[in-house]
Amino acid sequence: MLGRLAVVNAGELVTLRGPQVPRTREAMREVGIVASGGFFVEDGVFTFVATSNEVEDRIEPGDTVVDAGGRVVMPGFVDAHTHLVFAGDRFRDFEWRALGKSYAEIAQEGGGIRSTMRATRLTGEDELLALARKRSRWMMRCGTTTAEVKSGYGLTKADEMKMLRVIRSLGEEAAINMVPTFLGLHALPPEFEGDRSGYVEMMLDEALPQVAAENLAHWADIFVEEGYFSPDDAERLAERAKNLGLGLRMHVDQMQDSGGAALAARLGAATADHLEFTSESGIAALAEAGVVPVLLPGSVLGLGKNRYPNARAMIEAGLPVVVATDFNPGSSPCPSLPTTLSLACTMMGMTPEEALTSATVNAAHSLGLGHEVGSIEEGKRADFVIHDAEDWRETLVYSGRETPSDAYIDGREITRRCSTR
Ligand code: NIG
Ligand code: FE
């Protein structure tokens, strides 16, 4: 059993406290700041959140006391969409894009998802874990303490399961909480060229049941886009995932409006991710069906495009918007949520408060973890970050600056463990 931890003297304690539901509209702007705040943590859980004075009055001999020194303390960020596990790199894609090649042209010429697939298939589990560990530290150093992580670069049953085992091992090391997602339907591998239906059948009949049996994923995901997978494939996945007890997340409307939002609504997906090209009627369908939009501005930037999702219209429609990094080697090589949230403000018209809410409380709810993480409140897991800042907005306004000095998961400091290789 861990002893009691007291954190005192947080210049701004940004709690994000509030009703235990996803935040919408005005509630997205209430971040619950306690000036000069503090809290107690017992057995990895916040037990008392108040002003620093109130905490100091209750300190007993034997408590461990951390003085935040007037700095900002916030919940750890929750990154609800990443492709953190991969081998190889996409530097050639990066250069080709600079020279004007499109996502489709790059894929045709040997780059894209299939090139990461080739590298990932050739890489053993231990090496893949070492690579993922290194990248999870990049995220942690940006203040992330929980991340959803997708498979999707293996594209055989064995290689998808290998990726999911790596995600599980990484979560067990407790550097960052990991939420695993099966993305077998990410791209068609070359050996199934011309037989998409055979590939989908293999992934749904052979891979997914075993993934579920071994509890290797909580969610299933699919890339619905021309040249990738179709609405029919998504329908088959939705049915199978439901039967196996997995929730559904979907990559939709990234390159064009293909009615992906309405499809996600019809299939009862938990989230519809990307949504760069989603129309007003698509947004209405999400709101009607209670599908959570997960917006990924880093991928718009990473692809050198300028069409961002319409976050303002989504907030006005009453949707509990989530913003995530989409961290991956190709379309979104940025692992930083603060940088991504800065983009959400500058390019998608979100206020800093809305952006912060989207990547903490709302992101946690979108993963089914709203009762566990995402805010500093009694009863929640003590995942928090001390930022080297006096005002929490510094973390996103001065984007690119590394502000976390100490990160804690379950009340235990993880920064030192993670800051060296
Ligand atoms: O979310 N859109 C599909 N999947 C990823 C891209 C992955 C990659 O390019 O490697 C995305 O942007
Ligand atoms: Fe993605």
Side-chain angles (χ1 to χ4, degrees):
M1 201 162 106
L2 294 170
R4 193 161 76 149
L5 172 75
V7 173
V8 298
N9 197 17
E12 276 185 341
L13 176 62
V14 188
T15 63
L16 276 300
R17 67 189 167 199
Q20 301 300 303
V21 290
R23 311 277 158 82
T24 58
R25 297 196 167 94
E26 286 305 310
M28 284 189 74
R29 296 194 187 183
E30 289 157 22
V31 295
I33 295 175
V34 180
S36 190
F39 50 78
F40 281 114
V41 174
E42 275 175 85
D43 295 330
V45 171
F46 295 113
T47 50
F48 181 70
V49 181
T51 63
S52 187
N53 285 340
E54 287 170 296
V55 172
E56 282 166 57
D57 286 347
R58 289 167 174 77
I59 289 174
E60 291 172 4
D63 289 345
T64 302
V65 181
V66 171
D67 186 338
R71 291 173 294 173
V72 167
V73 180
M74 294 205 275
F77 293 124
V78 178
D79 196 338
H81 182 139
T82 83
H83 308 253
L84 163 69
V85 176
F86 60 87
D89 64 65
R90 299 268 283 280
F91 301 153
R92 208 169 46 154
D93 293 26
F94 195 83
E95 184 181 330
W96 276 345
R97 215 164 23 243
L99 297 174
K101 284 198 203 294
S102 70
Y103 194 76
E105 285 165 344
I106 289 170
Q108 272 154 22
E109 291 179 32
I113 294 170
R114 277 186 183 178
S115 71
T116 303
M117 173 210 76
R118 286 191 293 275
T120 303
R121 283 182 179 179
L122 288 171
T123 303
E125 215 163 307
D126 289 347
E127 196 184 334
L128 211 47
L129 176 61
L131 289 167
R133 185 185 296 126
K134 179 171 113 181
R135 292 168 188 141
S136 74
R137 287 175 187 153
W138 297 348
M139 298 173 73
M140 189 273 306
R141 284 205 292 270
C142 296
T144 299
T145 52
T146 297
E148 183 261 18
V149 187
K150 301 172 196 298
S151 67
Y153 291 126
L155 311 183
T156 64
K157 177 183 165 185
D159 289 298
E160 287 294 297
M161 293 189 65
K162 174 177 80 179
M163 288 188 71
L164 291 167
R165 282 195 301 273
V166 167
I167 298 167
R168 180 163 70 190
S169 301
L170 198 54
E172 283 167 359
E173 293 179 356
I176 290 187
N177 308 310
M178 298 288 163
V179 181
T181 295
F182 173 76
L183 178 56
L185 303 184
H186 194 195
L188 191 64
E191 61 274 17
F192 277 90
E193 195 69 65
D195 183 19
R196 201 179 72 228
S197 151
Y199 178 71
V200 172
E201 211 168 279
M202 184 277 288
M203 277 290 152
L204 298 190
D205 292 350
E206 294 171 34
L208 193 55
Q210 193 160 344
V211 164
E214 295 186 26
N215 197 21
L216 278 171
H218 301 171
W219 301 92
D221 196 343
I222 178 169
F223 185 21
V224 181
E225 192 70 50
E226 209 180 297
Y228 292 84
F229 294 95
S230 71
D232 281 349
D233 300 330
E235 190 156 352
R236 291 168 69 190
L237 173 68
E239 195 199 333
R240 190 56 61 91
K242 193 172 168 193
N243 289 338
L244 292 168
L246 276 81
L248 183 64
R249 312 176 87 81
M250 298 170 68
H251 286 69
V252 289
D253 295 344
Q254 181 182 9
M255 313 286 178
Q256 60 187 313
D257 182 5
S258 52
L263 175 70
R266 183 165 65 76
L267 298 181
T271 69
D273 302 37
H274 277 293
L275 305 173
E276 283 84 337
F277 285 85
T278 300
S279 62
E280 288 286 331
S281 68
I283 292 173
L286 295 178
E288 172 83 12
V291 180
V292 173
V294 178
L295 310 181
L296 310 165
S299 69
V300 183
L301 180 79
L303 291 175
K305 299 198 171 173
N306 51 24
R307 168 97 176 215
Y308 286 84
N310 194 347
R312 253 322 355 118
M314 294 179 199
I315 291 172
E316 273 152 29
L319 285 161
V321 168
V322 173
V323 174
T325 62
D326 194 17
F327 176 53
N328 73 71
S331 67
S332 192
C334 172
S336 164
L337 260 171
T339 300
T340 307
L341 298 183
S342 175
L343 276 178
C345 297
T346 53
M347 307 309 287
M348 303 192 328
M350 293 175 73
T351 69
E353 286 81 3
E354 289 167 343
L356 180 61
T357 301
S358 77
T360 51
V361 176
N362 282 3
H365 278 286
S366 85
L367 294 168
L369 298 175
H371 54 291
E372 276 186 48
V373 296
S375 63
I376 296 180
E377 292 179 278
E378 286 89 353
K380 288 220 183 164
R381 294 174 54 164
D383 297 355
F384 62 93
V385 178
I386 303 177
H387 290 267
D388 186 15
E390 285 170 26
D391 183 312
W392 70 271
R393 290 167 294 194
E394 287 178 44
T395 59
L396 27 159
V397 175
Y398 299 122
S399 72
R401 187 188 149 214
E402 216 177 68
T403 60
S405 7
D406 306 296
Y408 290 72
I409 286 194
D410 290 338
R412 274 179 287 206
E413 191 179 357
I414 58 167
T415 341
R416 287 204 192 105
R417 211 177 332 148
C418 297
S419 59
T420 51
R421 284 197 65 156

